[in-house]
Amino acid sequence: MADTQVREKTPVDFWFDPLCPWAWMTSRWMLEVEKVRDVEVRWHVMSLAVLNENKLDELPERYRELLGPKGWEPVRVVIAAQQKHGDEVTGKLYTALGTRIHNEALGATREVIAAALDEVGLPAELLRYADSDEYDEVLRESHNNGIERVGQEVGTPVISVPGADGSEVAFFGPVVTPTPRGEAAARLWDGTLLVASTPGFYEIKRSRDKGPSFE
């Protein structure tokens, strides 16, 4: 008799800011991991603007411009879409935004946000939330829910997954380019979980010698 039991997928919570190219690379890797491992990604927003709002003066000028008022716009629209239309739209809207912002190098303009909303069938009126603080409290709660799992010294993305013993394994990253595909994605996932779930383990790092490659 055929085994008809359906294996329950492991939830992987992923916190992102649409502006971050490295989070975008990692998010595309997670979509590859979904194809080769029994996992299901649940998308959440965090905000580099929130993370850096009290230290903008310490940042280089290009980051101050990126993370100032303009830095709130995409993530505010995403959180508004999530609140009004459900969690299932979050990942779809992120994909539509990220493809335009990063792969097509169009930046996070109002026109880009409007086109992303249209692609996923969301109402154009959501664009008005780019200038609204109506959902900022929810945005901050979502941001804090992610960042508090790993500490304030990191950025986006943050990933959280149940470990082998059921306890949470949370980490920043991995930072990788280009996006690993197929079995390479699976190996990176397995290795990341192995390292991140080791008690007392905190960091592996080396200097980046290339920017993100959106292949």
Side-chain angles (χ1 to χ4, degrees), residues 5-54:
Q5 184 176 1
V6 177
R7 182 182 300 179
E8 185 176 348
K9 293 187 176 182
T10 299
V12 178
D13 291 293
F14 189 108
W15 282 264
F16 67 91
D17 184 319
L19 292 176
C20 180
W22 294 105
W24 175 247
M25 300 297 300
T26 308
S27 72
R28 300 310 93 181
W29 164 66
M30 280 307 315
L31 294 182
E32 288 292 311
V33 174
E34 280 190 321
K35 300 174 185 177
V36 292
R37 291 292 182 266
D38 290 326
V39 302
E40 183 175 17
V41 182
R42 302 188 299 198
W43 304 99
H44 311 274
V45 294
M46 61 182 294
S47 170
L48 293 174
V50 170
L51 185 66
N52 292 282
E53 63 182 338
N54 294 322

Side-chain angles (χ1 to χ4, degrees), residues 53-72:
E53 63 182 338
N54 294 322
K55 49 187 176 183
L56 280 178
D57 292 343
E58 304 170 16
L59 301 177
E61 183 177 353
R62 66 189 183 97
Y63 288 115
R64 290 200 300 271
E65 182 177 353
L66 179 67
L67 302 179
K70 297 289 290 184
W72 290 81

Side-chain angles (χ1 to χ4, degrees), residues 53-95:
E53 63 182 338
N54 294 322
K55 49 187 176 183
L56 280 178
D57 292 343
E58 304 170 16
L59 301 177
E61 183 177 353
R62 66 189 183 97
Y63 288 115
R64 290 200 300 271
E65 182 177 353
L66 179 67
L67 302 179
K70 297 289 290 184
W72 290 81
E73 295 178 3
V75 75
R76 276 175 165 168
V77 172
V78 175
I79 199 72
Q82 181 188 58
Q83 293 299 300
K84 286 180 166 291
H85 299 277
D87 291 338
E88 65 274 10
V89 306
T90 309
K92 296 176 183 178
L93 183 54
Y94 180 31
T95 291

Side-chain angles (χ1 to χ4, degrees), residues 63-146:
Y63 288 115
R64 290 200 300 271
E65 182 177 353
L66 179 67
L67 302 179
K70 297 289 290 184
W72 290 81
E73 295 178 3
V75 75
R76 276 175 165 168
V77 172
V78 175
I79 199 72
Q82 181 188 58
Q83 293 299 300
K84 286 180 166 291
H85 299 277
D87 291 338
E88 65 274 10
V89 306
T90 309
K92 296 176 183 178
L93 183 54
Y94 180 31
T95 291
L97 282 168
T99 300
R100 289 170 171 80
I101 293 171
H102 304 297
N103 293 63
E104 299 175 15
L106 297 176
T109 65
R110 296 298 180 94
E111 292 77 13
V112 160
I113 298 172
L117 290 169
D118 181 66
E119 179 184 325
V120 298
L122 290 169
E125 68 94 20
L126 283 169
L127 186 60
R128 74 177 181 86
Y129 289 97
D131 294 318
S132 170
D133 63 2
E134 181 175 344
Y135 292 110
D136 280 7
E137 182 176 349
V138 180
L139 169 59
R140 289 177 183 277
E141 288 176 359
S142 181
H143 171 88
N144 290 332
N145 190 22

